[in-house]
Structure formats: C-alpha cells, structure tokens
Amino acid sequence: MYHKETSWLMNSTASALNNNLCSYKESNDKVHFAVVHKGTVNIVTVTSSIGSSVSDSVKDSNPSARTISCNEASGSGATVTILQAKWVTLRSQTLLVISTLRGIQVFEMDGTVLLFWHRLETDDAEYSEEMFARGIAACGQNLLCVGTHDGSVLIFSMPAESNTLNYVDKVRYHPAAISDLCGQGQTLISGDDHGNLVVWEGSTTLKKVKELESFQSPATSIACWEELVMVGYGSGHIRLFNITTGIRRAEITAHASWITAVDIALESGLAISVSEDSFVRVWQLKKDGSPVVSYKSSCNITNIQLCGGCFVNNLGSAFCTTGYDLNEILYFHV
C-alpha cells in the first residue's frame, strides 16, 4: 500500500529516543520535521505538495536542513541533552517545545527565538541526579503540559494576546517517570514507565478523571482519535482504549520489539505503529463496531532500529520515519 518515495538528509543522526520525529505543516505547503540528536534538534523543511492528500511527485521539493542547539540558560554555553522536541499550538500560535535533562525550552515555531525557559528543581534527594522532562502535549487552547522524571505533569498557560508562558501548577499521580503525553481538546492522557495511564481534563489546570488498565511495561507512545486512545508499549504490544468508558477495546501483538511511536491520521482514522524491529505497520481504526482496528499494510526498513514516525497529512496518505544512527528522514506515500 505504501512505498518509499524519497529521503531527506539531516545535519546529524537520530538519537535512540521514543517519539523522535515530529512534523508541522504550514498553510503555505511548507512541512517541517524535527529529530533529536544529543543536544541539538535537526530541523528539515520541505517545500512541496507532500502535505496534501493527493499523491504528487516530491522530486521538485527543496529541502533545507539546519540544527537548533539547546544550551544551559545560565549562560555557561554548555549543551543540554534533549529527550524530545514537538510542535504544539496554543491560542493559534505554534511553538516548538524542547524537553531536556534540565528543563523545558520553548521557541517560536521556526526555532529562531527562545521565548520561555523553565528549569527543573527538586527537594527530593532520590531524584536529584536524574531529573528530566519528557512528554509534551497541549490541552485545550491555552495549556502546555510536560511530563517529568518523578511522575509529575507540569502545567503552563499562555495568556490571551501573548507569546509568553506562565507556570501554573504541577499535578502528580503517576508512581513512575512520565513516558508520553497526548492531548485532545480539553482531555489529556498521560503514560508512565510502569505502563500506567491516566485521563485528565481541564482548561485552567488538570483534574484527574480516571485511570486506564495498567500493564507492566512502559507506555512508550500515545495517540488519540475520536473516543479511542492508541498506546504503544515497550513489550511490543499496541492497545486501544475507549477514553470515555476506560474499557480496553483491542490488543495487538504485531511487533517483535519496543514500540517507539504511534500516530493517527485524524480525518481517516488510519494509524501507524513504529518499532525497533524495523517495521512500520499501518492500521485502520473505526469509530464504532467490532473490530475497532484492522490491519492494512506494513513497511520494512531493513537493519534500521526505528525510533520515530508520523503522518504527514490528516488523511494518512503519507508518513515519515527515521532510525537510530540514521541521518535521513524516510518518506513513504500511497
């Protein structure tokens, strides 16, 4: 169903991190991709029709590659190890959010201007040497949520007519480090390294609504569509839950290794799962009925430990992926 059309070179290779590829499509047909390498973020921008739902040639695309360094806010110039980079939209403004071993940095969409910096601090000696931020999502129109090492979710807000962020609150329910966050409307789903999943709601802060069934394996990647939440696990499992009822609707054992990314095309319900086993598998989700998920196709990127993947458009007609120690973003189209 999908075939590889081309690839785009990055300035450096991809680190072995979960969810290590994200994209953002501008209205002018520019598509931006972000991949983390140690203390830098590779940004690749492609100007073409690849973000459209029509299968057009990408041979005329004009990719540009650059890097963003993440340094200590103290002014020492020391590079900070990055764990995730992701674009989020708050009040119609798109921001590039970077989570690190020291805290959170928020840039303008293109990464040229640093808007906000929040440094992690703890009074708990247990975590003093192993602090980090991981898991990035927007909740509602003005909340930015970021997970941390101790199972907390930090909440920041963007006031109206402002491009700055304010620290609001910290909520903690997870007993282990946050592994990923996913927002849909005013609902947020958080997962941790012990496989626990929590559903939150809120517009000014977060309130815990329910817990989903727990499994003894890290919930590595989370994606939402309609009333379904799709979760990839370190065990190679994929599970789908109904957000409203909390009931597990499906369980898939189609990967032999750690799931590093899941993503859902919002207009079609197509989903991908990306794994260290070198496979990207494509699924069709259904709003109701049984089964709620069916297998569509798969792509094998031989001898590559895949570490990220995402759809390029909301119809799911194209997706990209990359892998550990690979300096390319691979593009697949129907």
Side-chain angles (χ1 to χ4, degrees):
M1 183 178 178
Y2 290 82
H3 62 276
K4 181 176 177 294
E5 285 202 3
T6 188
S7 63
W8 300 293
L9 290 176
M10 301 182 288
N11 288 338
S12 56
T13 60
S15 294
L17 301 168
N18 298 330
N19 307 301
N20 195 8
L21 174 64
C22 67
S23 67
Y24 170 67
K25 182 180 182 297
E26 288 192 78
S27 57
N28 59 3
D29 285 334
K30 281 187 178 180
V31 183
H32 307 276
F33 299 94
V35 177
V36 173
H37 172 78
K38 297 183 178 179
T40 60
V41 179
N42 288 289
I43 303 292
V44 175
T45 300
V46 181
T47 306
S48 73
S49 58
I50 68 163
S52 69
S53 59
V54 181
S55 180
D56 295 323
S57 172
V58 297
K59 65 182 180 180
D60 294 326
S61 62
N62 182 29
S64 63
R66 57 193 178 87
T67 57
I68 300 171
S69 296
C70 196
N71 300 320
E72 285 274 13
S74 62
S76 65
T79 301
V80 181
T81 300
I82 300 171
L83 297 184
Q84 190 177 6
K86 188 176 182 180
W87 282 284
V88 300
T89 300
L90 300 175
R91 297 190 182 276
S92 301
Q93 181 175 352
T94 300
L95 308 170
L96 177 62
V97 183
I98 297 175
S99 64
T100 76
L101 295 183
R102 294 290 182 266
I104 301 104
Q105 293 192 10
V106 180
F107 292 82
E108 289 188 346
M109 184 276 295
D110 58 3
T112 56
V113 178
L114 177 63
L115 301 175
F116 180 77
W117 159 258
H118 179 84
R119 184 179 179 85
L120 293 177
E121 296 180 355
T122 182
D123 296 327
D124 192 339
E126 178 184 355
Y127 298 111
S128 61
E129 298 298 327
E130 51 186 43
M131 295 186 297
F132 61 84
R134 180 178 61 188
I136 301 166
C139 183
Q141 292 294 312
N142 71 319
L143 292 186
L144 169 66
C145 301
V146 182
T148 69
H149 57 283
D150 64 356
S152 300
V153 177
L154 304 179
I155 307 167
F156 306 90
S157 70
M158 173 173 281
E161 300 179 359
S162 173
N163 64 350
T164 62
L165 290 170
N166 297 323
Y167 174 77
V168 174
D169 199 2
K170 177 174 73 171
V171 294
R172 182 179 180 184
Y173 191 82
H174 288 272
I178 300 296
S179 51
D180 196 26
L181 300 178
C182 179
Q184 179 176 256
Q186 293 185 356
T187 300
L188 181 81
I189 297 91
S190 56
D192 68 28
D193 282 349
H194 289 177
N196 302 296
L197 298 165
V198 176
V199 180
W200 311 80
E201 287 185 356
S203 57
T204 57
T205 187
L206 294 180
K207 179 182 179 181
K208 177 179 171 289
V209 177
K210 64 171 66 71
E211 297 175 63
L212 302 180
E213 188 177 359
S214 179
F215 298 88
Q216 301 304 308
S217 182
T220 56
S221 188
I222 306 171
C224 298
W225 179 72
E226 301 290 336
E227 290 192 343
L228 291 175
V229 55
M230 181 179 187
V231 186
Y233 291 83
S235 61
H237 289 76
I238 303 162
R239 297 181 177 97
L240 289 109
F241 302 87
N242 183 291
I243 300 175
T244 303
T245 65
I247 295 173
R248 175 163 44 111
R249 297 296 310 278
E251 181 172 275
I252 305 168
T253 55
H255 287 284
S257 298
W258 193 281
I259 304 292
T260 55
V262 296
D263 193 27
I264 303 174
L266 299 181
E267 291 185 22
S268 65
L270 285 170
I272 58 170
S273 55
V274 182
S275 171
E276 290 181 352
D277 65 6
S278 302
F279 278 90
V280 178
R281 302 201 187 275
V282 185
W283 313 90
Q284 178 65 65
L285 306 185
K286 297 180 182 178
K287 296 181 182 179
D288 46 38
S290 183
V292 296
V293 58
S294 58
Y295 171 77
K296 295 292 289 185
S297 67
S298 64
C299 300
N300 177 221
I301 298 87
T302 308
N303 298 325
I304 298 296
Q305 180 182 318
L306 300 179
C307 59
C310 60
F311 284 110
V312 177
N313 56 60
N314 285 330
L315 279 179
S317 60
F319 69 83
C320 288
T321 186
T322 192
Y324 170 59
D325 211 26
L326 185 70
N327 67 340
E328 298 174 275
I329 297 173
L330 310 177
Y331 173 74
F332 291 78
H333 205 295
V334 173

